[in-house]
Amino acid sequence: MTVRSGAKLVPVLVAVLAATATPAIASAAPPPKWGPCPEEAAGLGLECGVIEVPLDYRTPGGKTIEIAISRLSSTRPEKRRGVCC
């Protein structure tokens, strides 16, 4: 394959990828409801929650699963890195 024939494939691949792209979800997911953690994580200073996410992101309106999450407040907010608030 020469560079010239490879260049002809690029627009075709871009068109195929654009046609099969998953549409964006129209609304944002609700924020997690934070609360106490399960007994095995108690005493660590964490807040725990559950979020619901699609089992298959190609079908955002389909079956969902719950994922447990946790967060730990910073003792030095001025040194915080990453997601805040």
Side-chain angles (χ1 to χ4, degrees):
M1 178 184 291
T2 65
V3 173
R4 182 173 275 175
S5 64
K8 291 178 184 178
L9 289 177
V10 172
V12 173
L13 290 174
V14 170
V16 169
L17 291 173
T20 60
T22 304
I25 297 174
S27 63
K33 293 180 181 168
W34 296 102
C37 292
E39 188 177 311
E40 57 270 9
L44 299 176
L46 299 171
E47 280 186 292
C48 292
V50 175
I51 57 173
E52 196 169 314
V53 298
L55 181 61
D56 183 351
Y57 276 93
R58 292 174 291 184
T59 337
K63 197 172 195 176
T64 60
I65 58 172
E66 290 184 338
I67 297 179
I69 57 174
S70 64
R71 67 181 178 182
L72 179 63
S73 293
S74 174
T75 57
R76 295 175 51 195
E78 70 281 357
K79 298 287 185 181
R80 185 181 300 143
R81 292 174 45 179
V83 178
C84 73
C85 312

